[in-house]
Amino acid sequence: MSPRDFNFAALIEDMPTPWFILRRDGPHIHWANQAAEEWLGQSLNTQRARLLGDFVDNFTALEAAYKRCSENQTVVRLRHVYVSPKNTRDQKCHFTFYPTESGIGLSVNFAGTRSNDPQVGGEAVSAMGRMIAHELKNPLAGIKGASQLLIDDIKTEEGLSLVKLIGSEIDRISRMIDGIETFGDPDPGRDDDVNIHEILQRARTVIQSAAPHNVSFTEHYDPSLPSILGDSDTLMQATLNLIKNALEALGDTGGEIRLETLYRTDARRRVAGAVRVSRLPIEIRVIDNGPGVPAHLREGIFQPFITNKPSGQGLGLSVVSKVASAHGGLVELQSRPGETIFSILLPLNREFSHEI
């Protein structure tokens, strides 16, 4: 392996789900992480240079997806495919093929696990974040430089405010990249006094500036809600992801996105390994009147790489769940045709809990 291959392999070696690198000249295994070895029941030395189909039944669909990825140099996803390592029972899996400099990458995620546990997908999001962080820094620097050059040519106040918004968003993303190696830690990296209404209004401005005219935005906030202690950058990212998700759910037909806050008296989260529950009175809601989340996706909606969007990566809602968990909260989903509600439930602060 080249140094670049080694860095990639080091990042995903300890991932809890199987990852492979397949050769470019055919679906032969070039590299596999420990989870892949355990899944196939074979060491990497046994797997290397052999066809993946030598170890997995029902290989036809996987081989076709590999060919599309290799020929078109694009990400190819297969959802709810039943395969089985040799001599084991069938498993329903999600497969993602993607081109890399080393060959064709393949990640395997197992279907059927309930996903609204806020910890689900944590390791995957963390490792993926570390893997792609270095790819983001250079283009971000170029975008910021270009936005600064635009300032002299813009004459309107609205144009200047949008350019300044671009600059502030680039700074926010840069801070996230700087801290992305610790993004999977149990606690956020910063303790800010966060006004959630300011977060929502700013996120709305970012998304609305690129939204089509047939999408309307409304806000209904509880002005009595206090500020919370948290990481404003990651809360901003989670809110952006939810609003963007709602916008994409509306599609070309458009519709309405409602942003709401309210005080909940019934929401609790049990602390793992303890006889304690945390009260979660702060609720942030992002509501759309689109077609609703398909029933077959609801169970796994917060897992990484689960999506029904042709160009989606399936990481946005996993990040939302991770951010909520890092703040001692959780995410809820309610969906039916004509109304989908994603709620982030948060404590007044991360230390607030109640013995039972």
Side-chain angles (χ1 to χ4, degrees), residues 103-177:
I104 301 300
L106 169 61
S107 68
V108 183
N109 286 271
F110 303 114
T113 302
R114 289 201 62 81
S115 60
N116 40 356
D117 181 342
Q119 297 292 349
V120 170
E123 295 94 340
V125 174
S126 301
M128 284 295 292
R130 291 192 297 270
M131 184 172 66
I132 66 175
H134 72 282
E135 301 290 348
L136 299 179
K137 290 185 176 180
N138 289 338
L140 275 179
I143 294 169
K144 185 168 186 180
S147 69
Q148 291 171 337
L149 291 175
L150 286 173
I151 290 178
D152 293 336
D153 296 327
I154 294 176
K155 307 303 181 184
T156 66
E157 286 296 323
E158 182 181 5
L160 286 172
S161 66
L162 288 175
V163 171
K164 290 178 181 178
L165 178 62
I166 291 171
S168 67
E169 283 299 287
I170 291 171
D171 290 340
R172 179 183 64 81
I173 296 170
S174 296
R175 289 194 299 270
M176 291 182 66
I177 291 172

Side-chain angles (χ1 to χ4, degrees), residues 44 78 80 95 113 121 128 140 149 178 185-186 221 228 244 255 261 283 322 332:
L44 176 58
L78 297 177
H80 306 285
F95 296 89
T113 302
M128 284 295 292
L140 275 179
L149 291 175
D178 290 339
D185 292 346
Y221 300 149
I228 63 170
K244 181 175 180 288
T261 62
E283 181 171 9
K322 188 172 187 59
E332 287 184 345

Side-chain angles (χ1 to χ4, degrees), residues 195-198 200-201 204 216-225 243 256-263 282-288 339 341-343:
N195 183 321
I196 59 173
H197 297 144
E198 291 179 358
L200 281 163
Q201 289 166 348
R204 169 186 168 167
S216 63
F217 289 80
T218 58
E219 295 167 298
H220 300 280
Y221 300 149
D222 181 345
S224 70
L225 295 184
I243 301 175
E256 180 188 15
I257 296 174
R258 303 199 314 273
L259 309 180
E260 299 181 353
T261 62
L262 58 152
Y263 191 89
I282 307 296
E283 181 171 9
I284 301 170
R285 285 184 169 187
V286 177
I287 306 168
D288 70 76
E339 184 180 66
I341 305 172
F342 280 96
S343 296

Side-chain angles (χ1 to χ4, degrees), residues 58-70:
N58 306 330
F59 184 62
T60 304
L62 301 186
E63 186 174 26
Y66 165 88
K67 289 180 179 178
R68 292 202 306 273
C69 176
S70 180

Side-chain angles (χ1 to χ4, degrees), residues 27 39-40 51-66 78-95 97 106 108:
W39 183 51
L40 297 185
L51 280 169
L52 181 59
D54 291 343
F55 303 100
V56 178
D57 290 325
N58 306 330
F59 184 62
T60 304
L62 301 186
E63 186 174 26
Y66 165 88
L78 297 177
R79 296 290 179 259
H80 306 285
V81 176
Y82 283 93
V83 300
S84 61
K86 299 295 185 180
N87 302 317
T88 66
R89 63 183 179 83
D90 280 356
Q91 296 173 293
K92 185 166 67 171
C93 302
H94 310 304
F95 296 89
F97 294 83
L106 169 61
V108 183

